[in-house]
Amino acid sequence: MLTARTENQHRSQKTPALGLRLLLFAGLSILILVIDHRENYLDAVHRAIDVTIHPLRVIVDAPVAMWHWLGETSAGRNELRLENSRLKAERLLTHARLQRYSALEAENTRLRAMLEARTRVRDEVRVAGIMSVSANPFRHDLVIDKGLNDGVYDGQAMIDADGVVGQVIETGLFSAQAVLISDPDHALPVEINRNGLRTIAVGTGEFDRLDLPFLPNNADVRQGDLLVTSGLGGAFPAGYPVAIIDNVTRIPQEPFAAVSAKPAAKLNQVREIMLIWSIADEDVPETPE
Amino acid sequence: MTQDRASRRLPVVACIIAALMLAIAPMPDWASPFRPDWVALTLIYWAMMLPRTYSVGTAWIVGILLDVAQGSLLGQHAVALCFVAYIAVKFHLQFRVFPVSQMTATVFAILAFYQFILFWVNGVAGVNAPAVAYWGPVITGTLIWPLLTLFFGSVRYRARP
């Protein structure tokens, strides 16, 4: 009897408390949502939680990183073994050389592509790795392994060897989140390299297509035109290749033509990207890569 | 006593941390819209089984961690998970006696509700996402629920003192 009553009391106490707790926490979440959406008072909180989350990212990234590291070390051992066999048999030597040459050739073309991208612009460029961590399901984004500690800042432009990849949106201490140019909410001020016609390239949510919704039907735009950053938005320095026009459909009854372009960067295949510091900023960190 | 409680909590906390890691684990591009809501599923189970220990507060903390980990708006997953935990705790006595099929259908409804809150917040904040980003996790989450309960059941059985 007594136990039944206490149980009852307990239950009657518990139920409103649960609803109250829901109200409290949901209200708090909504408050945080509004503040986080409109202001940036919560950046410090964000960073503090981000540091606590970072170990999880490292652990998640570890198997892939380990796989790459294993690949590297076994390749090194292979090279040693091949070098050894080169002393022993000539047939094996040619074979080994062929193998090494193909690897070197691939590396060389990659480095050349990087160097070319670097000399083309007079900005400070630094390589960052991409962590194998997937982020927001509602966005096209990625996580890089450089953060505030390395001088990364919000809005920083990212490129790969072929063109613009995206920009940093959220900087943690040791890592940063970046949005790709293919994100549906990302718009990038560009110009057509051939004639300097300026417009805006908007992401579509597909990795291989950008839309240019603001080109009038009589605009001088052709298939194969190269789009480069115009530098107007302030986030991206001017002159980086962005995309190549692959489809122009002029619709007579509409004010704007339907123009789409294929990004120059391989947005869904990048393993490492380059972060750009504009030289004028003077706050390029001194740590060498 | 406290040590005993800590040792009982450890498996559940480990489950939640594992769910957070699965939520940011890399997936191929075609599969990423179909990533189950690991965190939501885990919270449904534990809030249902241990409603006094894991309730709205836990859900809120985990939600904030998930928000930061995924880089979504701070509070988005927190508010959605609060409601999920609330439903799970509120009806835990019914849910526990549900047969698997009925529980799976309920989980479908809860997950759909969860995604609806995320969709709502996205809509207010102006984030565009394709419909598959919302429905994919609901479907895979529902499909994986029966297996997940088996796994969590064994964890619970082992964690019992």
Side-chain angles (χ1 to χ4, degrees):
Chain A
M1 187 65 192
L2 190 70
T3 49
R5 202 167 61 193
T6 46
E7 180 71 13
N8 259 342
Q9 272 178 353
H10 203 95
R11 198 162 293 166
S12 63
Q13 276 170 1
K14 209 178 70 185
T15 320
L18 181 66
L20 207 66
R21 263 183 295 169
L22 175 73
L23 265 181
L24 184 75
F25 282 111
L28 191 60
S29 314
I30 291 167
L31 188 71
I32 290 175
L33 265 174
V34 173
I35 297 174
D36 191 43
H37 186 45
R38 305 203 171 226
E39 317 283 344
N40 35 18
Y41 302 139
L42 292 177
D43 278 2
V45 182
H46 222 281
R47 267 166 209 157
I49 304 172
D50 195 77
V51 171
T52 63
I53 285 287
H54 192 71
L56 290 188
R57 289 213 183 98
V58 172
I59 296 171
V60 166
D61 181 53
V64 183
M66 184 88 96
W67 179 254
H68 282 268
W69 179 78
L70 267 177
E72 277 164 27
T73 42
S74 70
R77 232 186 83 203
N78 261 344
E79 269 170 32
L80 278 177
R81 220 177 60 202
L82 292 172
E83 214 168 281
N84 197 8
S85 54
R86 187 167 55 180
L87 295 168
K88 290 173 184 167
E90 204 167 359
R91 201 180 76 86
L92 217 63
L93 166 85
T94 27
H95 200 71
R97 266 208 178 140
L98 264 175
Q99 275 194 5
R100 283 189 66 205
Y101 273 25
S102 63
L104 280 174
E105 196 181 55
E107 192 183 25
N108 203 4
T109 45
R110 208 180 98 243
L111 288 174
R112 261 166 185 266
M114 278 182 177
L115 270 179
E116 198 191 18
R118 196 191 155 123
T119 48
R120 192 177 292 169
V121 293
R122 289 192 312 281
D123 300 316
E124 179 71 26
V125 169
R126 201 151 288 167
V127 178
I130 291 174
M131 296 183 86
S132 308
V133 172
S134 87
N136 198 332
F138 308 118
R139 282 188 181 284
H140 269 196
D141 61 0
L142 42 82
V143 179
I144 58 173
D145 63 357
K146 300 269 185 293
L148 279 178
N149 266 2
D150 308 280
V152 177
Y153 56 91
D154 282 0
Q156 187 166 23
M158 291 181 339
I159 57 172
D160 77 350
D162 300 311
V164 173
V165 173
Q167 61 177 308
V168 175
I169 48 170
E170 196 77 64
T171 327
L173 264 188
F174 310 110
S175 63
Q177 268 165 15
V179 63
L180 299 178
I181 54 172
S182 59
D183 184 273
D185 287 325
H186 192 268
L188 176 65
V190 293
E191 64 183 34
I192 294 172
N193 200 30
R194 183 167 53 83
N195 54 14
L197 181 67
R198 283 191 289 268
T199 182
I200 288 174
V202 182
T204 57
E206 292 166 38
F207 285 114
D208 55 353
R209 194 164 67 90
L210 300 179
D211 271 349
L212 286 80
F214 307 117
L215 280 173
N217 270 322
N218 59 358
D220 178 16
V221 53
R222 285 182 226 150
Q223 200 174 343
D225 278 350
L226 177 69
L227 295 170
V228 298
T229 48
S230 66
L232 280 185
F236 290 88
Y240 286 94
V242 174
I244 292 162
I245 305 272
D246 64 355
N247 180 34
V248 181
T249 313
R250 298 179 205 278
I251 315 160
Q253 63 270 32
E254 298 279 337
F256 295 111
V259 184
S260 66
K262 190 178 190 307
K266 294 176 195 69
L267 293 180
N268 52 351
Q269 297 170 18
V270 280
R271 270 301 301 176
E272 45 194 20
I273 50 100
M274 286 171 281
L275 291 162
I276 304 172
W277 280 268
S278 292
I279 290 270
D281 282 3
E282 297 286 327
D283 50 30
V284 179
E286 289 303 312
T287 47
E289 269 309 313
Chain B
M1 184 69 190
T2 46
Q3 199 182 4
D4 186 44
R5 186 179 282 179
S7 70
R8 258 188 298 160
R9 280 193 187 185
L10 193 65
V12 182
V13 173
C15 282
I16 293 175
I17 290 175
L20 278 172
M21 279 163 55
L22 281 171
I24 56 170
M27 280 178 102
D29 289 327
W30 59 267
S32 56
F34 297 99
R35 177 201 304 276
D37 292 314
W38 296 108
V39 177
L41 291 167
T42 312
L43 280 172
I44 291 173
Y45 186 86
W46 291 111
M48 174 177 85
M49 288 305 174
L50 307 165
R52 296 208 187 164
T53 324
Y54 306 97
S55 175
V56 180
T58 316
W60 186 77
I61 294 167
V62 176
I64 289 285
L65 290 179
L66 184 60
D67 281 323
V68 174
Q70 294 202 332
S72 48
L73 270 174
L74 202 60
Q76 184 180 22
H77 288 88
V79 66
L81 285 174
C82 279
F83 278 98
V84 166
Y86 175 78
I87 296 169
V89 173
K90 181 90 180 161
F91 302 105
H92 70 276
L93 291 176
Q94 285 97 314
F95 288 169
R96 281 188 198 167
V97 295
F98 276 0
V100 177
S101 57
Q102 198 176 349
M103 190 58 214
T104 306
T106 314
V107 165
F108 176 82
I110 296 178
L111 288 179
F113 180 59
Y114 173 72
Q115 289 293 334
F116 176 72
I117 299 175
L118 297 184
F119 165 75
W120 210 17
V121 174
N122 275 346
V124 174
V127 178
N128 294 315
V132 68
Y134 298 109
W135 282 110
V138 177
I139 294 161
T140 49
T142 311
L143 291 177
I144 214 153
W145 171 259
L147 293 173
L148 213 57
T149 47
L150 284 181
F151 172 72
F152 285 150
S154 74
V155 170
R156 198 160 64 98
Y157 184 73
R158 249 172 247 169
R160 200 170 289 169

